[in-house]
């Protein structure tokens, strides 16, 4: 299948690096491909970024049959363009597709499409510290039909946005609140899939903690409201008495690519990482004993977010005196260093474009 | 706020009643209104039904911040146009909006918009038995932004589809399977909201039971996997030893308008209706004792769906010898009779257009 290429005749002006926000401006081109039952994925095209037409009856607008991914492209100091573990994104997208009854992608084909698109828009990759080109592959159901069933047509798109730091002001410890009213998901739900519904469902809790003076939520499991699962839209790690602990993937937690990379990185340093279930009661007890040394969240958008304070009911736990932990900083520096080409990629994470 | 009206210059051809499926064809016009933070809902317009333009970065395509409603318009034998309890839909939509962080609608204004739209397209209301004009109000987030937060812009639309019976072949007992792997929602989740994510999340279970030879799922609660919650996208009722039982609304079940109407109707007949929690174990026990007399699902699309057989693990329970129960038929006949204007509306459910 050849990718048709339609180049823009009106290249847009690029924003200055210091003005870049997250996910607001988009590069000149996008990739689009359609799926029709019986025909498979067809008509791949790279075309100027712009609006799409949808029928108001399109299933995505009613039943949210949709999945997405997020990854980043960087330009190295030598001017080479590189992606961070992109094959992991397409693998995960296919797992999300399976849960959401969306047809599988040919991972090799979309990887090639992604590289072609990034190459075309490589001038859009910002190079100032902390910046990157955020890449958003996504799929949504397009059947113009309002009965509840699996769609027979889909659109797969890749759009790209030059971004500054996810959190304005750069790496800084954030305040997180343990959510005990709302639930993100439950065993047998869609928690493991990167689908829209998980994110829409979490907005109310996010709004609630903002009002309380916190930036994000720490989600507990939906069943017992005890086991620590995720922080907002990120995975979470704790350094407990010299050992790194992160919640094990039990089907309700997103299998983060940054999570996986942090585990590999720590092991390569000879550190001990334990993936296990951990309750908020146990965590509080450990904090009382002074054993929680560092806490941080991991995700593609922010890479690493140090957690300074964790609110739970009427209590507040502070880690490392509310400052960025030594390991937290080192993990961020290393990951971002490898991603941006400032540090050697010893773990084979980088794919050159 | 005045509604701008743009009439179609190319009215579409209507399908013959016997060819009508569910949710495939749409009437000539649609209602559209936009929301912008700081400005509120604005620019209401009735215009020809047709495609809309969306940026690929529109939040609905990524994070599924979206809600919908469903109701029906009928033409009575006297040629009057009527709606079934439309105010209940807009009340519920505002409750869904609250859960999904979508701004509130002015219920009186959208009711007026709905009536204006239905009046304009009243020739689209089919009149053969079992047919109606299905009305779909829906709202979705339109911010061209791919960070995870509440959208600041939305689109509210009403589209309308002339429909035949939801289940081809008319009222017939269906085969339902008790889902014990997938979960629809959990306490603190979005189960009570009519939002897209609930429906996308349920597709995998629906596909699974189709393969097993069943038409729909009976959902259990996400926490204990014991309490009966809903059937597919409908509420569920059982006639147990002379008493009607339906799961109580505990925050995880959609507060169905047909459910509410069935309760009111049964009470008006002097029947006993109990809203309570009921486990699948208790239900099975009652069935073994021969106490389950009838079972049916209630929803706007199908009105009443008799349940003939309920599969659970390796067991099968059959009700009323797999035939439509006497009460089930009477409830359907009465509800549909009132909705379509063939039976007097003694409970004040009907709103004339």
């Amino acid at each position: 299948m050849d990718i048709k290429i339609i180049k823009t005749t009106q290249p847009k002006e690029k924003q200055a690096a210091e003005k870049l926000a997250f996910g607001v401006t988009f590069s000149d081109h996008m990739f689009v491909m359609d799926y029709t039952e019986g025909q498979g994925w067809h008509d791949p095209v790279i075309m100027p970024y712009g609006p799409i037409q949808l029928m108001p009856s399109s299933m995505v607008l009613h039943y949210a049959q949709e999945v997405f991914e997020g990854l980043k492209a960087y330009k190295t100091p030598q001017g080479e363009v590189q992606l961070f573990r992109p094959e992991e994104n397409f693998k995960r997208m296919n797992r999300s597709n399976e849960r959401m009854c969306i047809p599988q992608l040919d991972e090799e084909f979309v990887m090639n499409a992604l590289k072609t698109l990034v190459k075309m828009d490589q001038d859009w990759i910002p190079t100032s510290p902390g910046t990157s080109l955020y890449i958003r592959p996504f799929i949504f159901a397009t059947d113009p039909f309002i009965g509840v069933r699996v769609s027979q047509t889909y659109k797969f798109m890749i759009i790209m946005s030059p971004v500054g730091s996810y959190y304005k002001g750069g790496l800084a410890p954030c305040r997180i609140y343990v959510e005990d009213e709302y639930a993100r998901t439950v065993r047998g739900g869609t928690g493991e899939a990167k689908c829209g519904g998980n994110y829409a469902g979490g907005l109310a809790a996010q709004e609630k903690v903002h009002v309380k003076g916190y930036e994000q939520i720490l989600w507990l499991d939906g069943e017992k409201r005890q086991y620590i699962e995720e922080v907002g839209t990120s995975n979470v790690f704790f350094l407990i008495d010299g050992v790194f602990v992160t919640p094990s993937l039990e089907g309700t937690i997103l299998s983060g690519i940054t999570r996986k990379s942090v585990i590999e990185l720590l092991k390569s340093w000879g550190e001990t990482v334990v993936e296990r279930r951990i309750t908020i009661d146990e965590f509080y007890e450990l904090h009382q004993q002074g054993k929680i040394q560092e806490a941080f969240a991991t995700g593609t958008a922010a890479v690493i977010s140090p957690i300074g304070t964790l609110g739970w009911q009427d209590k507040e736990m502070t880690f490392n005196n509310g400052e960025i932990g030594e390991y937290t900083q080192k993990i961020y520096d290393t990951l971002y260093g490898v991603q941006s080409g400032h540090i050697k990629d010893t773990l084979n994470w980088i794919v050159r474009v």
Side-chain angles (χ1 to χ4, degrees), chain A residues 64 66 141 236 252:
Chain A
E66 60 189 77
V236 67
T252 52

Side-chain angles (χ1 to χ4, degrees), chain A residues 19 35 44 79 88 94 106 114 145 153 166 184 203 220 236 239 241 259 266 269 307 319 332:
Chain A
K19 282 196 175 165
Y35 179 91
E88 294 287 338
N94 267 341
D106 175 337
L114 172 62
F145 173 63
T153 58
Y166 192 79
R184 178 181 169 271
L203 293 172
L220 301 179
V236 67
L239 175 56
D241 214 8
R259 175 187 182 278
L266 287 169
W269 290 347
I307 302 173
F319 315 114
Y332 174 79

Side-chain angles (χ1 to χ4, degrees), chain A residues 133-144:
Chain A
L133 184 67
Y134 181 83
I135 299 165
R136 169 58 57 89
F138 60 113
I139 306 178
F140 54 92
T142 53
D143 272 13

Side-chain angles (χ1 to χ4, degrees), chain A residues 117-261:
Chain A
L117 179 66
V118 171
K119 204 173 281 177
M120 269 180 75
D121 278 357
Q122 59 176 289
D123 290 349
W124 282 89
I125 308 174
T127 52
S128 302
T131 63
S132 61
L133 184 67
Y134 181 83
I135 299 165
R136 169 58 57 89
F138 60 113
I139 306 178
F140 54 92
T142 53
D143 272 13
F145 173 63
I146 54 169
V148 179
R149 62 143 169 79
V150 171
S151 184
Q152 294 165 357
T153 58
Y154 299 86
K155 216 176 253 303
F156 169 77
M157 301 183 71
I158 306 175
I159 59 177
M160 308 198 294
S161 172
V163 299
S165 244
Y166 192 79
Y167 296 108
K168 286 166 200 159
L171 202 67
C174 55
R175 291 169 51 79
I176 308 283
Y177 190 79
V178 180
E179 178 57 45
D180 48 12
E181 176 191 1
Y182 293 110
R184 178 181 169 271
T185 189
V186 72
R187 182 171 53 94
T190 57
E192 208 175 17
K194 211 163 168 67
C195 66
N198 291 347
Y199 295 79
L203 293 172
Q206 197 175 305
E207 291 291 288
K208 191 182 90 173
V209 300
H210 285 175
V211 172
K212 278 181 182 273
Y214 293 88
E215 284 144 85
Q216 267 299 353
I217 309 135
L218 186 129
W219 292 110
L220 301 179
D221 75 288
E223 225 167 315
K224 311 243 182 261
R225 303 300 168 97
Q226 265 293 323
Y227 295 101
I228 292 174
E229 296 209 324
E230 298 187 18
V231 163
T233 60
S234 306
N235 295 115
V236 67
F237 283 77
F238 307 109
L239 175 56
I240 306 177
D241 214 8
V243 170
F244 289 88
V245 174
T246 189
S248 44
L249 305 175
E250 308 275 345
T252 52
I253 297 178
L254 192 78
S255 174
I257 294 161
T258 311
R259 175 187 182 278
K260 185 177 179 174
S261 306

Side-chain angles (χ1 to χ4, degrees), chain A residues 83 88 90 119 129 155-156 207 232 254 263 268 285 291 319 323 338 340 348:
Chain A
L83 300 166
E88 294 287 338
F90 290 125
K119 204 173 281 177
K155 216 176 253 303
F156 169 77
E207 291 291 288
L254 192 78
I263 293 173
S268 79
E285 191 57 34
K291 290 188 175 161
F319 315 114
E323 283 162 33
V338 172
S340 60
N348 286 312

Side-chain angles (χ1 to χ4, degrees), chain A residues 20-76:
Chain A
L20 287 175
F22 185 89
V24 177
T25 56
F26 295 87
S27 73
D28 276 332
H29 297 91
M30 62 185 185
F31 176 78
V32 189
M33 179 165 72
D34 289 299
Y35 179 91
T36 309
E37 201 170 283
Q39 188 182 357
W41 290 105
H42 60 89
D43 289 313
V45 57
I46 291 176
M47 57 188 290
Y49 180 87
I52 49 170
Q53 277 208 338
L54 275 184
M55 290 311 285
S57 54
S58 291
M59 291 183 86
V60 65
L61 301 178
H62 304 264
Y63 308 126
Q65 202 191 353
E66 60 189 77
V67 297
F68 71 92
E69 276 299 326
L71 70 159
K72 284 175 172 176
Y74 297 84
K75 200 171 268 177
T76 69

